[in-house]
Amino acid sequence: MTTRVDAPPAIRVRGLEKAYGKLAVLRGVDFEVARGAIFALLGSNGAGKTTVVRILSTLLKADAGSASVNGLDVATQAGRVRESISLTGQFAAVDEILTGRENLVLVAELRHLKSPGAIADELLERFALGDAGARRVVEYSGGMRRRLDIAMSLIGDPPVIFLDEPTTGLDPERRIEVWRAVKELADGGTTVLLTTQYLDEAEELADRIAILHRGRIIVDGTLDELKRLLPPTRVEYVRRQPSLEDVFLVLTGDAEPQDTTATTTDVTEPGKA
């Protein structure tokens, strides 16, 4: 990935607060996201992840605190922030009357890009929708709509992308396709803020991971840093059984059989939990 340590952060959040009536959703949230990095915001339902994304994408005003995206203040420079970002929410924002290809062409035209048809065709193939491009979206399955929605968010190569629960409703193959696309974005210098409940997704993708709990960031670090928060471990040799995902991907031809005769696993030292 192309994270630049010396560059100012692409996203900076300080003391962010938001309440709905007496319900405090955000209670002083702080974090930074480096340019070109993938930052995962983990949390259970109701933790405030979507509220953070909505504030950063200028769809919601914070009660207190400050936030900037791509060096722009989200409160005072909202218009310029919106020009610098793309957002994929929890529910697919596609036009069901149009075909998949027409949805993509429309977004490319609205962004005044050259060759909108070619852009649409490339994204349809990239997200395994080539055969469905001429069909109206009303006929798509939930997973297909999700893939189309994510494809639409990539049009125009915005420097910052917010992905709010991007793989909800996708099968294992499509999840991996989305993961590959997200990694390609970061490798090209795009900053990605990802909210998810899937721990394997954060582990697979993120340069840094923050856990949002009861309106506050309780930990923020790399995967290795977070793992070091656990008690010491000892190593045991075990016979590894393939997971259901392993079986699925091998049988569908998307992965080679793996040697499961022996591997190592970390086990918490008894009495040190």
Side-chain angles (χ1 to χ4, degrees):
M1 297 179 187
T2 56
T3 303
R4 290 177 52 196
V5 177
D6 59 335
I11 301 172
R12 177 181 281 128
V13 175
R14 289 287 181 270
L16 213 58
E17 297 181 11
K18 183 63 182 178
Y20 298 99
K22 295 182 179 180
L23 176 62
V25 178
L26 303 179
R27 301 188 293 169
V29 171
D30 299 276
F31 65 85
E32 293 184 354
V33 182
R35 294 183 182 274
I38 301 175
F39 185 89
L41 190 59
L42 288 177
S44 58
N45 284 333
K49 304 186 301 298
T50 297
T51 299
V52 171
V53 170
R54 293 187 67 196
I55 291 172
L56 293 177
S57 56
T58 76
L59 297 177
L60 186 68
K61 290 186 178 181
D63 296 333
S66 63
S68 63
V69 175
N70 202 32
L72 304 167
D73 186 275
V74 299
T76 62
Q77 298 173 289
R80 294 184 61 192
V81 169
R82 287 192 287 270
E83 293 174 354
S84 300
I85 66 171
S86 186
L87 167 65
T88 296
Q90 293 186 20
F91 304 99
V94 296
D95 191 322
E96 295 184 345
I97 297 176
L98 301 178
T99 67
R101 188 177 189 275
E102 287 170 342
N103 269 277
L104 293 166
V105 168
L106 176 61
V107 174
E109 289 176 342
L110 290 173
R111 291 182 178 268
H112 306 291
L113 301 178
K114 296 181 179 179
S115 305
I119 293 171
D121 292 338
E122 188 275 330
L123 286 169
L124 287 170
E125 292 301 322
R126 182 172 174 182
F127 284 86
L129 291 169
D131 294 338
R135 289 162 49 192
R136 292 202 307 165
V137 174
V138 71
E139 302 173 11
Y140 282 19
S141 67
M144 293 169 68
R145 295 184 191 201
R146 192 61 174 162
R147 279 143 52 202
L148 178 63
D149 190 34
I150 294 171
M152 289 166 62
S153 75
L154 305 185
I155 294 175
D157 298 320
V160 179
I161 289 181
F162 299 112
L163 300 177
D164 193 10
E165 307 279 0
T167 60
T168 299
L170 300 187
D171 61 43
E173 290 173 295
R174 300 290 87 84
R175 286 184 74 202
I176 291 173
E177 287 176 5
V178 172
W179 289 357
R180 288 172 182 161
V182 173
K183 289 178 180 178
E184 289 174 6
L185 287 172
D187 287 341
T190 301
T191 303
V192 179
L193 190 151
L194 166 80
T195 75
T196 183
Q197 297 183 61
Y198 300 133
L199 303 184
D200 61 333
E201 187 160 271
E203 188 168 349
E204 175 70 22
L205 294 176
D207 299 298
R208 295 187 68 84
I209 300 167
I211 297 177
L212 183 62
H213 183 64
R214 295 181 179 177
R216 290 193 176 95
I217 300 291
I218 59 173
V219 65
D220 177 356
T222 66
L223 180 60
D224 287 340
E225 289 170 346
L226 299 190
K227 286 183 175 180
R228 287 198 292 270
L229 297 175
L230 296 179
T233 60
R234 59 187 174 87
V235 175
E236 289 183 352
Y237 287 87
V238 298
R239 185 176 182 85
R240 178 182 178 272
Q241 295 297 323
S243 68
L244 181 59
E245 183 165 331
D246 292 333
V247 174
F248 181 92
L249 293 176
V250 169
L251 292 180
T252 55
D254 285 338
E256 294 295 326
Q258 301 294 313
D259 181 9
T260 60
T261 55
T263 186
T264 62
T265 184
D266 289 336
V267 180
T268 301
E269 188 73 40
K272 294 186 179 181

